[in-house]
Amino acid sequence: MSLRPIAFSNVRLVDPASGYDGPGGVIVTEGVIADVVRGGDLGSLSKDVEVIDGKGALLIPGLVDIRVKTGEPGTETKETLKSAALAAAAGGVTSIVLQPDTDPVIDEPSVVDFILRRARDIELVKVHVAGAATKGALGERMAEIGLMAEAGCLYVTDADRPIVDSKVLRRVLAYARAFGVRVAHRPADPWLSAGAAASEGEFASRLGLPGVPAVAEMIMLERDLALAELTGAGLIVDQVTTAAALKSLRRARDKGLAVTATTSINHLSFNEIDIGDYRTFCKLDPPLRSEDDRQAVIEAVASGLIQVVVSAHAPAPAEDKRLPYDEAAPGAIGLQTLLPALLTFHHEARIPLIDLIRAVTSAPADLLGLPTGRLAKGAPADLVLCDLDAPLVIDADKLISKSKNSPFDGRRLQGKVLRTLVDGRTVFGA
Amino acid sequence: MNTAPPGLNDVLQRTFSFPKRHFLSASDLNEVEVANLLDLADGFVSLNRQTSKKLDLLKGRTLMNLFFENSTRTQSSFELAGKRLGADVVNMSPRSSSISKGETLIDTAVTLNAMQPDLLVVRHSSSGAASLLSQKVSCSVINAGDGQHEHPTQALLDALSMRRAFGRIAGLKVAICGDVAHSRVARSNIALLQMLGAEVRLVGPPTLIPPQAERWNVAIFHDMREGIAGCDVVMMLRLQLERMDGVMAPSQREYFRFFGLDREKLACAAPHARVMHPGPMNRGVEIDSDVADDLSVSLIQDQVEMGVAARMAVLTSLAARLENAR
């Protein structure tokens, strides 16, 4: 099927890869960006081109979200690949990287292959896979990292579970490096974190919730950074959420280590007080932190110390959330709210728009070697047309995900996705 | 001399007095000593192919095989070498005797030394064990493998196989592939081959390459095709199966896929490349049977034959130096 060429005119282009933020247009043919025009009009176009007048709306590369969970395979009642892909398309996310802690765990090449085939049939957004770093994501024995990389997995991680045995993590880092595979690791001291439902502090004490001290993140991160230095491996620090850990990260970056850090949109947007009257939608892993920590994380995104922002999309159905707080499942959905929530920091004049967009487009794409995430001639036409200023109130029940556990429920945000294209095909909007 | 088998004169002319009492490490040797040992071993190869293989060069001598670790092939290789040279050979397996009753290594050594052996061949699972023993006995000690440290007679027999196959060792490109980290064979070979002027490369996943091995003046490769590109010799190492199940490598199938030697990978080596393996092989894990059994590329059977000759050369040279030699 040959696609009709599309041209976006009269838009504000924001392309972090080239550093351009200004008026222009984009022409799409055969699924790729045929031309990017900066400034004036598009010139004469052939008649069969569908011209979309953006009326000054934002045109940015499709978002790349490198930390997404669905319930497929294993717990399809939470979320399927299809429902997650629909939510992603509606949120302007055109590439997602699935986490391996499914049932079965994605720890061998045939499972990677299975999921990539399933996703291909859905034909919505681009679905990629992160493989498990260890068998069963149990932190004991190395998974088939080389074979999974050949099957197409983009990086390896044990997702929420830290690899406690330092010898195992060292071997994983060293081994993965030889295959050019990055390792994402959650910095959380397992003993300090055991049983915790919230961040340790005055608020958790008042609520009577078992807490984990913020330093638990820094303690594990220091070990991870030392092992990354020892092995020369490409470490992805999976969600930095505390000021203490950011200091460690800064030291590592100054030393020149190949370390990339992410944070989640939730930790940029909420603090521990949002738990309020035991709102389980705000029960997250890592838990929401103090306001000081949140401010430090925002600063780190602004300064580029944290390069990538993820949705940390983790669907949990009502039956897993409508429980006493410390029994409720952690996690929040976020694919559909990632972009408008991120734009908050532009509207509050905290972080320049181009830097915000970078953290969800070219930075994650470059990290994982994906050709997407940029407005460049020849790049895949993964695009989002967005009304930057349009107000919206998030209604969790109306979100597309099968699970409705959004902490943004009731929040007023600005920035509405008008149209999402993947390889030149419109997958959301019209 | 009438009864002497043909070739004996030839061999005897090559005998030389080895300047050291023990044979513990390839790094202890120098180029001249190695050349002499290889020449001598070459002579024994011809002798070993004759009907009458028995010599009396070690007549009256006692050779004691002291193997704390099981090894059928190395032990029988030394046993044959000793017997063909006319020595009395005793095999001790302390695993099933005194050591298991709590005797220390040194106590065992002192006890055995009192029995007046001339040559003591030692294998032990601890690095440095042969050296420790050598300090406590009055006979010659031959290291038949100490932990992850050295296996010098293996390096000598490998050098002999290579020299016979290529006519030289200087200038050869040798890729040592697999579990280098735990391999005494690799350490002895690196030392000996570099001394003889070969270019040594190490190939394996980072988990199986010894830390900071790049300081050994070897190039290190984690991609096997790149690592063996243009090499004259591809020396495969054994990887213990229990190290493969997610410990040092994820699985046997992944190991074979990336680090197992098959026809396709071997095609990256020089067209005349020869394949070596110290044995015993894990077929289908580190080496494909198709390659291992192809006599036009595999030197693996030669290595076993060279083993007896190389060990005869070592035993003869050490015995020639013993105080009561003549």
Side-chain angles (χ1 to χ4, degrees), chain A residues 108-109 135 140-148 150 170-171 174-175 178-179, chain B residues 205-207 211 222 244-251 253-255 257-259:
Chain A
E108 55 142 345
K135 289 178 182 163
E140 289 162 5
R141 291 177 301 141
M142 224 190 302
E144 292 178 317
I145 294 168
L147 293 174
M148 286 194 293
E150 278 195 335
R170 181 208 180 157
R171 285 176 183 151
Y175 189 84
F179 290 90
Chain B
T207 43
H222 303 309
M244 227 172 306
D245 189 20
V247 183
M248 299 292 176
S251 63
R253 65 177 183 181
E254 172 151 336
Y255 190 78
R257 172 80 183 80
F258 296 105
F259 298 102

Side-chain angles (χ1 to χ4, degrees), chain A residues 200-213:
Chain A
E200 188 175 293
E202 194 265 339
F203 189 69
S205 295
R206 189 195 299 260
L207 293 181
L209 291 175
V212 54

Side-chain angles (χ1 to χ4, degrees), chain A residues 8-15 18-27 35-43 52-57 59 375:
Chain A
F8 290 92
S9 68
N10 191 21
V11 290
R12 175 181 173 186
L13 302 177
V14 176
D15 178 36
S18 65
Y20 183 74
D21 177 355
V26 166
I27 302 165
D35 205 3
V36 179
V37 179
R38 292 182 180 180
D41 71 321
L42 295 176
I52 296 162
D53 181 355
K55 295 175 185 148
L59 187 73
L375 301 178

Side-chain angles (χ1 to χ4, degrees), chain B residues 75-112:
Chain B
Q75 182 169 328
S76 35
S77 183
F78 271 108
E79 185 175 352
L80 263 184
K83 284 180 171 166
R84 284 183 183 168
L85 291 166
D88 296 314
V89 181
V90 186
N91 291 324
M92 309 283 288
S93 305
R95 182 190 287 251
S96 53
S97 59
S98 52
I99 276 282
S100 52
K101 292 174 193 155
E103 195 176 69
T104 67
L105 175 64
I106 290 173
D107 288 341
T108 308
V110 171
T111 306
L112 296 178

Side-chain angles (χ1 to χ4, degrees), chain A residues 73-84:
Chain A
T75 47
E76 284 82 355
T77 50
K78 290 182 186 175
E79 186 92 288
T80 60
L81 288 173
K82 179 89 183 265
S83 64

Side-chain angles (χ1 to χ4, degrees), chain A residues 8-16 20-26 52-63 91-92 339-340 342-344 346-347 352-358 360-361 375 382-390 414-421:
Chain A
F8 290 92
S9 68
N10 191 21
V11 290
R12 175 181 173 186
L13 302 177
V14 176
D15 178 36
Y20 183 74
D21 177 355
V26 166
I52 296 162
D53 181 355
K55 295 175 185 148
L58 195 62
L59 187 73
I60 57 173
L63 273 56
L339 181 58
L342 195 62
L343 293 175
T344 303
H346 158 71
H347 294 299
L353 183 59
I354 194 163
D355 294 335
L356 286 171
I357 301 301
R358 179 181 296 113
V360 287
T361 58
L375 301 178
D382 301 341
L383 302 167
V384 180
L385 187 65
C386 168
D387 183 338
L388 183 58
D389 298 314
Q414 261 181 292
K416 196 170 182 178
V417 173
L418 302 173
R419 188 161 175 153
T420 306
L421 276 75

Side-chain angles (χ1 to χ4, degrees), chain A residues 240-326:
Chain A
V240 181
T241 61
T242 62
L246 286 167
K247 283 184 189 144
S248 304
L249 187 63
R250 167 56 66 198
R251 275 197 301 276
R253 188 69 52 73
D254 290 347
K255 254 194 232 173
L257 296 192
V259 174
T260 309
T262 74
T263 196
S264 88
I265 187 65
N266 302 317
H267 293 85
L268 285 168
S269 308
F270 304 100
N271 68 25
E272 59 189 347
I273 310 295
D274 287 296
I275 294 170
D277 186 21
Y278 303 96
R279 288 183 66 209
T280 57
F281 281 8
C282 286
K283 182 176 180 183
L284 305 175
D285 177 23
L288 289 173
R289 306 294 189 181
S290 70
E291 179 61 10
D292 286 348
D293 284 327
R294 186 180 82 99
Q295 290 299 328
V297 171
I298 295 170
E299 278 312 307
V301 172
S303 72
L305 182 59
I306 291 173
Q307 298 105 317
V308 175
V309 175
V310 298
S311 72
H313 187 81
E319 62 267 29
D320 293 346
K321 282 289 190 185
R322 276 195 207 121
L323 290 167
Y325 196 86
D326 62 358

